[in-house]
């Protein structure tokens, strides 16, 4: 029993949660609530008839700092949800004299109002309830209460959340990764979406489960596709980049002319040409399309190279090589020297032979860390 308690005590309740994330959330709430109260007290003094900080802000802080990717923790949800709910609560308090009935109506109507305005925020229920049962101090403020202090508290907390997340290098507000699109201007869906589950399959699964999940629709799609990818990588984890990569890599010096680079691409029938600096380290890549837009200096038009390590699973390159833009991934060592290159063709050929591969793939000995020349796609 004691062992079970120890093993379960600090297990994250949220998917992806870590101890570090929780500690960052604690620090954020400490700073956010503390500064919100301080600013409001400086603005309004210590007038007992004016609540400078309303209790629902504590719950808003939990969402803002602990689960900033939640749809319920986004800016409109925090400001709109709290303010709209408080408005509903004040209106119900003035129309319904019975406290119990007013409390029930206030919370239920607040949920409805937040749902219609797409501002669902759980602390909004507490804002509505406070407006109904807050006592003489809240009642005397009437319809001023939803704006001062509720909306003001919400906006101050949100502003501090923006600053805190930026300083801690966490993305906020949460922006869903765009759904892949066809980059060729045709009506076909992008390659990543032509097989596997579809949007209607996700909708059917949600309808079958009959539950509401606290995750953005696009994030759910992204999560499921990443699960598919990780399952594929795990199933073939013995196939590494070093098993698939071309080792005779054609490259061009950063100081070479556009004509030299174009000649290498055409002579070797390749689409991606790594560019190395004076020390031999990878600086970027160029292709024929980039070179047509270049002047005399290929460094002005080269793209950031997509890279991987030799001991990375080969199938981990699937997202990059199926994005409609990347034709090859450059394999580099820890010092960014070119070891090899994997093209779309290389990976496709390896995947075609997967049913024939033994669980432990024979490893090829590395030729060396210095870049030499690139195999044709």
């Amino acid at each position: 029993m004691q062992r079970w308690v120890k093993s379960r005590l600090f297990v994250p309740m949220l998917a992806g949660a870590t101890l570090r994330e929780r500690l960052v959330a604690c620090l954020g709430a400490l700073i956010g609530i503390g500064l919100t109260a301080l600013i409001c007290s400086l603005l309004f003094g210590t007038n007992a008839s004016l609540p400078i900080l309303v209790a629902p802000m504590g719950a808003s802080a939990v969402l803002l700092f602990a689960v900033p990717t939640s749809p319920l923790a986004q800016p409109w949800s925090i400001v709109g949800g709290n303010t709209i709910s408080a408005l509903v609560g004040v209106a119900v308090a003035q129309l319904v004299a019975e406290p119990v009935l007013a409390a029930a109506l206030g919370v239920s109507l607040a949920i409805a109002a937040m749902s219609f305005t797409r501002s669902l925020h759980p602390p909004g229920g507490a804002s509505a309830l406070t407006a109904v049962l807050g006592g003489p101090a809240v009642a005397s403020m009437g319809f001023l209460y939803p704006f001062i202090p509720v909306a003001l508290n919400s906006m101050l907390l949100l502003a501090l959340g923006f600053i805190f997340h930026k300083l801690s290098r966490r993305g906020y507000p949460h922006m869903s990764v765009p759904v892949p699109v066809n980059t060729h201007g045709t009506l076909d869906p992008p390659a990543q979406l032509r097989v596997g589950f579809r949007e209607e399959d996700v909708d059917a699964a949600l309808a079958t489960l009959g539950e509401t999940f606290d995750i953005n629709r696009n994030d759910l799609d992204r999560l499921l596709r990443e699960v598919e990818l990780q399952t594929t990588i795990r199933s073939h984890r013995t196939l590494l980049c070093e098993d698939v990569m071309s080792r005779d890599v054609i490259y061009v010096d950063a100081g070479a002319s556009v004509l030299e680079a174009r000649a290498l691409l055409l002579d070797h029938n390749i689409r991606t040409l790594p560019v190395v600096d004076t020390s031999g380290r990878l600086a970027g890549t160029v292709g024929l399309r980039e070179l047509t837009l270049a002047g005399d200096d290929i460094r002005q038009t080269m793209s950031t190279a997509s890279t991987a390590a030799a001991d990375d699973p080969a199938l981990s390159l699937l997202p990059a090589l199926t994005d409609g833009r990347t034709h090859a991934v450059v394999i580099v060592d820890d010092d960014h020297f070119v070891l090899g290159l994997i093209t779309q063709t290389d990976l496709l050929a390896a995947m075609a032979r997967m049913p024939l591969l033994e669980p432990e793939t024979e490893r090829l000995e590395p030729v060396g860390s210095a870049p030499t020349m690139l195999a044709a796609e």
Side-chain angles (χ1 to χ4, degrees):
M1 180 64 181
Q2 187 177 5
R3 182 182 300 175
W4 183 89
V5 171
K6 288 182 178 179
S7 64
R8 293 289 180 180
L9 185 58
F10 296 108
V11 172
M13 294 177 289
L14 298 172
T18 63
L19 178 59
R20 179 185 177 279
E21 288 293 304
R22 296 288 77 84
L23 292 176
V24 169
C26 293
L27 178 61
L30 172 67
I31 297 171
I33 292 295
L35 288 179
T36 298
L38 176 62
I39 294 170
C40 288
S41 65
L42 292 175
L43 289 174
F44 304 111
T46 56
N47 187 350
S49 64
L50 177 63
I52 60 170
L53 189 67
V54 291
M57 291 304 107
S60 294
V62 172
L63 289 169
L64 177 60
F65 295 105
V67 281
T69 60
S70 168
L72 307 177
Q74 300 315 297
W76 172 237
S77 293
I78 292 175
V79 176
N82 280 325
T83 306
I84 291 170
S85 297
L87 279 167
V88 170
V90 170
V92 170
Q94 293 192 359
L95 294 174
V96 180
E98 171 56 43
V100 174
L101 179 58
L105 280 174
V107 174
S108 63
L109 292 177
I111 294 173
M114 288 188 290
S115 299
F116 282 118
T117 56
R118 300 179 65 84
S119 61
L120 194 63
H121 186 61
S127 295
L129 195 60
T130 303
V132 174
L133 304 177
V138 173
S140 64
M141 298 178 66
F143 282 99
L144 179 64
Y145 171 77
F147 302 100
I148 299 175
V150 175
L152 179 63
N153 285 173
S154 300
M155 289 187 288
L156 286 174
L157 184 65
L158 181 62
L160 294 167
F162 272 117
I163 297 171
F164 178 82
H165 286 307
K166 186 172 183 63
L167 293 176
S168 61
R169 298 182 180 180
R170 306 165 88 203
Y172 185 82
H174 177 62
M175 306 297 290
S176 298
V177 175
V179 176
V181 296
N182 189 322
T183 59
H184 304 294
T186 64
L187 297 177
D188 294 310
Q192 308 97 300
L193 304 184
R194 294 178 195 172
V195 296
F197 69 87
R198 298 180 180 178
E199 189 174 304
E200 54 265 33
D201 299 326
V202 177
D203 292 335
L206 290 172
T208 301
L209 293 174
E211 296 184 52
T212 300
F213 295 91
D214 183 13
I215 184 171
N216 179 279
R217 180 67 174 69
N218 288 346
D219 288 340
L220 177 60
D221 186 275
R222 177 190 176 200
L223 174 62
L224 293 176
R225 294 190 185 281
E226 185 64 27
V227 169
E228 283 189 332
L229 173 63
Q230 293 302 325
T231 300
T232 303
I233 292 172
R234 176 179 54 77
S235 301
H236 302 281
R237 60 184 175 273
T238 57
L239 182 66
L240 304 181
C241 289
E242 63 184 357
D243 303 320
V244 179
M245 68 185 187
S246 304
R247 299 174 185 273
D248 187 19
V249 181
I250 299 172
Y251 67 93
V252 67
D253 293 325
S257 68
V258 170
L259 290 178
E260 289 179 81
R262 185 180 290 114
L264 287 172
L265 286 163
L266 293 174
D267 291 346
H268 294 276
N269 191 28
I270 55 178
R271 301 180 69 180
T272 299
L273 184 65
V275 180
V276 298
D277 60 21
T278 53
S279 63
R281 292 179 172 85
L282 182 67
T285 60
V286 293
L288 283 176
R289 181 174 181 179
E290 290 86 357
L291 292 177
T292 58
L293 305 174
D296 296 328
D297 191 347
I298 62 174
R299 287 171 294 193
Q300 296 176 352
T301 188
M302 67 181 180
S303 304
T304 302
S306 180
T307 62
D311 56 357
D312 286 344
L315 294 191
S316 66
L317 307 188
L318 277 171
L321 292 177
T322 57
D323 65 5
R325 298 179 301 275
T326 306
H327 302 294
V329 174
V330 185
I331 309 303
V332 296
D333 63 12
D334 292 339
D335 296 319
H336 230 56
F337 285 104
V338 178
L339 299 179
L341 184 138
I342 297 178
T343 66
Q344 294 167 324
T345 303
D346 295 331
L347 188 59
L348 182 61
M351 293 178 66
R353 296 190 66 250
M354 274 183 178
L356 305 177
L357 296 177
E358 295 296 329
E360 288 294 330
T361 306
E362 183 180 354
R363 304 274 181 261
L364 298 174
E365 291 299 323
V367 175
S369 62
T372 52
M373 301 291 261
L374 179 161
E377 208 171 328

